[in-house]
């Protein structure tokens, strides 16, 4: 075990926090579980379809609808504007059958892509599950995206059906609809059943009513999907180029389920709240699929962050397991632990975090506010499920992401000059000494690993080397196997837990007539972790005025929505590589006030 106040290799400055959970954790004894666990065993915890297939929606919903959980609330929808509503597992099974038939009646076939651009509302969850039941591929879009990210994802995904509301449609899709010939059908959830005013759209209520009659008449049979059939498409961002569409298959549900047990400790009887929007991978893997496979009650809230509201939800809903992100925890911390203590959190037994580095202070603050430490987890869109975690019942080392999920092998790979894992003659080398820095890598083989970047086999192939999946994150591993996040090996930005590609932001700003060149970085921010900052060189005839700076911010906001730059700075001399690319790393070094020659430190902002 660790020496006194820090990890054995000087990692971490705070003593481990020990919390004895109220009930025996499902992961059991971690060391023993790691030795004995196989993914085949976890597959056996699920039902499967007759004939050897597997379908995520069957495991998440139908399996429970035919069990003693049928009348248990599966989803509870909280909202500022609508009354609270609920769906039991039996309701959800029936209505997702109807949604599946509605999609089939609209011509959706196996493998077709169906998108939502919706707040966290019943229609989003019914579309997700109905799509999976129809054997099609569900692709969630973040409702705060602006026109450009929405258009690009609909186009790259060749999306066939979009489910959205009138406001999002008119603001973000109508004007670009003629550039999306693949988009056959747009369903509006708020249009009256008699018909919609928006040309080229169909009311959700109408197709659902028609489909309900079909189900009544003919019954419904779920698509007989095979384990390797595509199920989910999640767009994610890289350093360069367009967003990448990570494809996940139905077999992924084995990992969603096992990690929901091991890391979130979910079992029937729990009331669980995941604050992530399904537009990001956490809100799908652990806001829909994982918890439903465990038969719990999932609470969703369509409102934005509000500290008082959040503490009230934790109290009034008697939340037992809470999964959130460091930015939200920092926002709660700002309001103080006293606010937490005004609330009865006696139902709460496990608090978990993901998405960005979790400050050691936040872990420890958890013991004051929640009565237990915050447990960090690490994973990515590409991994589909949690890969590294702090487990209930094990000492938490504040600042560490935890240890690998049983069934997952992690490597720390020695780096080359570009900061990524060095591949020499097709081979990589693991950093063997404890505490050594390298690129975090995973041995392929877990069920929820992405099976491709849509239409980009070379990009997918580049994500692997010598039998490892390369994550693009830098990390250290201490002598006890705990992993410590150091930074990204690339220029991707994490703001409030949301992954943002600098190239996408740069491309959008380049559309402004005054802009000659742009470099975008993540600027450290005490609350959001990073905020998006753009350095802009203007074309010769334009003056760097305050008015133009503000115009660029508004321009970005309109095009990009929530991923737009919060800060814009004019810079006549953007640094370039020899090949002429803007050196974002140097921009970041300047921003941080670091010596420009010393680029190695840029990736260690802590
Ligand atoms: C699930 C999700 C993935 C990237 C990942 C890393 C960062 C996630 C983290 C963390 C430090 C943690 N990240 N969890 N960094 N500590 N516990 O967030 O997926 O949006 O694809 O982002 O997020 O950099 O590589 P995604």
């Amino acid at each position: 075990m660790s020496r006194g106040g820090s990890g054995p290799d000087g990692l971490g400055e705070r003593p481990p926090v020990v919390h004895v959970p109220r009930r025996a954790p499902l992961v059991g004894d971690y060391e023993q579980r790691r030795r004995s666990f196989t993914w085949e065993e976890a597959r056996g915890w699920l039902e499967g379809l007759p004939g050897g297939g597997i379908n995520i929606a069957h495991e998440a919903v139908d399996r429970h609808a035919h069990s003693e959980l049928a009348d248990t609330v599966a989803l509870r929808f909280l909202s500022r504007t609508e009354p609270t509503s609920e769906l039991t597992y039996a309701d959800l099974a029936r209505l997702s059958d109807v949604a599946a038939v509605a999609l089939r009646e609209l011509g959706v076939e196996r493998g077709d892509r169906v998108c939502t651009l919706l707040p966290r509302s019943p229609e989003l969850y019914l579309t997700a599950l109905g799509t999976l039941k129809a054997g099609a591929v569900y692709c969630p879009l973040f409702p705060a995206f602006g026109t450009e990210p929405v258009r690009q994802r609909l186009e790259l995904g060749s999306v066939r059906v979009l489910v959205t509301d009138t406001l999002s449609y008119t603001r973000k899709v109508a004007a670009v609809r003629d550039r999306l010939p693949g988009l056959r059908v747009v369903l509006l959830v708020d249009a009256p059943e008699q018909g919609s005013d928006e040309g080229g759209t169909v009311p959700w209520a109408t197709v659902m009513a028609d489909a309900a009659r079909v189900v009544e008449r003919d019954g419904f049979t779920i698509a007989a999907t095979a384990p390797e059939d595509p199920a989910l498409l999640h767009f994610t961002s890289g350093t360069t180029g367009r967003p990448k569409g990570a494809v996940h298959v139905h077999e992924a549900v084995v990992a969603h389920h096992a990690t929901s047990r091991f890391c979130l400790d979910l079992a029937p009887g729990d009331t669980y709240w995941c604050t992530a929007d399904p537009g990001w991978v956490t809100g799908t893997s652990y806001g829909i699929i994982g918890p439903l496979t465990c038969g719990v009650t999932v609470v969703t809230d369509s409102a934005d962050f509000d500290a008082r509201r959040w503490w009230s939800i934790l109290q009034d809903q008697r939340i037992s397991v809470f999964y959130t992100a460091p930015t939200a925890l920092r926002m709660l911390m700002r309001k103080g632990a006293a606010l937490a203590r005004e609330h009865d959190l006696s139902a709460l037994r496990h608090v978990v975090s993901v998405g960005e580095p979790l400050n050691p202070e936040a872990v420890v603050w958890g013991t004051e506010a929640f009565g237990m430490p915050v447990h960090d987890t690490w994973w990515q869109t590409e991994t589909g499920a949690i890969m590294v975690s702090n487990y209930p019942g094990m000492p938490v080392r504040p600042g560490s992401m935890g240890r690998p999920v049983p069934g997952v092998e992690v490597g720390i790979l020695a780096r080359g000059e570009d900061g990524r894992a060095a591949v020499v003659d097709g081979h990589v080398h693991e950093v063997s000494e404890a505490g050594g820095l390298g690129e975090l890598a995973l041995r392929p083989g877990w069920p929820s690993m992405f099976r491709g970047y849509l239409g980009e086999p070379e990009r997918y192939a580049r994500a692997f080397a010598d039998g490892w999946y390369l994550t693009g994150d830098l990390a250290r591993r201490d002598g006890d196997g705990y992993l410590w996040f150091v930074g990204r090996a690339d220029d991707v930005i994490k703001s409030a837990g949301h992954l943002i590609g600098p190239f996408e932001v740069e491309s959008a700003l380049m559309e402004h007539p005054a802009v000659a060149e742009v470099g975008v970085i993540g600027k450290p921010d005490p609350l959001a972790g990073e905020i998006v900052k753009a350095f802009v060189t203007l074309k010769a005839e334009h003056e760097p005025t305050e008015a133009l700076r503000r115009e660029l911010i508004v321009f970005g906001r309109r095009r990009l929505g929530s991923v737009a730059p919060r800060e814009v700075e004019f810079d006549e001399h953007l640094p370039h590589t020899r090949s002429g690319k803007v050196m974002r790393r140097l921009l970041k070094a300047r921003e941080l006030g670091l010596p420009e020659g010393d680029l190695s430190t840029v990736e260690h902002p802590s």
Side-chain angles (χ1 to χ4, degrees), residues 22 314-315 318-319 343-349:
R22 212 171 300 157
L314 288 168
Q315 166 184 276
R318 306 223 23 95
I319 302 293
H343 295 81
D344 169 11
L345 303 179
S346 57
L348 195 62
R349 60 176 186 79

Side-chain angles (χ1 to χ4, degrees), residues 236 281-282 354-358 376-382 401 471 473 485 488 494 497 499:
T236 184
V281 72
T282 304
V354 69
E356 20 160 357
L358 179 66
D376 195 15
T377 61
W378 175 96
W379 58 291
Q380 301 182 307
T381 302
E382 285 85 344
M401 307 192 287
T471 70
D473 278 1
F485 181 81
R488 293 280 313 186
K494 255 283 157 125
L499 198 72

Side-chain angles (χ1 to χ4, degrees), residues 321-337:
V321 179
F322 182 42
Y323 198 19
T324 191
T327 296
L329 289 163
R330 286 189 291 265
M331 296 204 285
L332 290 175
M333 277 172 82
R334 275 212 175 169
K335 301 281 177 187

Side-chain angles (χ1 to χ4, degrees), residues 246-453:
V247 177
H248 290 279
V249 296
H250 280 275
E251 175 82 355
V253 67
V254 175
H256 295 143
H257 181 68
T259 52
S260 294
R261 284 198 193 194
F262 292 161
C263 312
L264 304 180
D265 204 43
L266 292 176
D270 274 314
T271 305
Y272 163 80
W273 184 22
C274 167
T275 60
D277 188 89
W280 304 96
V281 72
T282 304
T284 305
S285 292
Y286 297 103
I288 309 178
I289 302 167
L292 291 179
T293 64
C294 293
V296 308
T297 295
V298 177
V299 170
T300 77
D301 181 28
S302 65
D304 287 336
F305 176 85
D306 171 336
R308 243 174 220 289
R309 183 179 171 87
W310 279 33
W311 290 119
S312 299
I313 291 175
L314 288 168
Q315 166 184 276
D316 300 345
Q317 296 296 323
R318 306 223 23 95
I319 302 293
S320 57
V321 179
F322 182 42
Y323 198 19
T324 191
T327 296
L329 289 163
R330 286 189 291 265
M331 296 204 285
L332 290 175
M333 277 172 82
R334 275 212 175 169
K335 301 281 177 187
L339 192 58
R341 287 194 294 265
E342 287 171 21
H343 295 81
D344 169 11
L345 303 179
S346 57
L348 195 62
R349 60 176 186 79
H350 191 38
V351 179
V352 196
S353 169
V354 69
E356 20 160 357
L358 179 66
N359 323 54
E361 302 86 278
V363 175
V364 177
W365 180 79
T367 59
E368 249 181 87
F370 299 108
M372 62 204 76
V374 180
H375 291 68
D376 195 15
T377 61
W378 175 96
W379 58 291
Q380 301 182 307
T381 302
E382 285 85 344
T383 71
I386 300 170
M387 294 285 109
V388 176
S389 175
N390 288 278
Y391 304 87
M394 283 170 68
V396 178
R397 293 189 181 171
S400 161
M401 307 192 287
R403 302 183 60 188
V405 161
V408 170
E409 188 192 341
V410 168
I412 302 288
L413 305 185
R415 300 184 305 151
E417 271 185 5
D418 64 353
R420 300 288 310 260
V423 187
V424 181
D425 297 333
H427 294 293
V428 299
H429 286 283
E430 283 191 67
V431 174
S432 49
E433 78 277 14
L437 175 69
E439 180 167 353
L440 184 67
L442 303 163
R443 199 64 93 180
W446 70 97
S448 64
M449 188 181 86
F450 70 134
R451 299 298 200 271
Y453 287 127

